[in-house]
Amino acid sequence: MAQCAGTTQKGDRCRRDAREGSAYCAVHLEQEGRPRPEHPKTPWTTDDKLKAALGFGILAALALFRFRR
């Protein structure tokens, strides 16, 4: 048997076996008629990178001052 082509609520692929003559298991049969949603993978913007770098810098400074004593 083939693996179900349905997706879980988390967006992971279903691990169940597909029903005979279908690409989906009994739980995901309603997904057969609708297209699978695409999860957009947005790249990190410059603003996101700056925020992350600032956060790591603050954490590093706190760690240095905490363990320096």
Side-chain angles (χ1 to χ4, degrees), residues 26-56:
V27 175
H28 296 111
L29 273 177
E30 77 276 354
Q31 291 181 4
E32 192 168 24
R34 59 187 155 126
R36 294 179 70 176
E38 292 293 325
H39 295 286
K41 294 191 177 191
T42 56
W44 281 46
T45 62
T46 305
D47 193 36
D48 293 335
K49 291 177 186 176
L50 288 173
K51 288 179 185 176
L54 180 63
F56 284 121

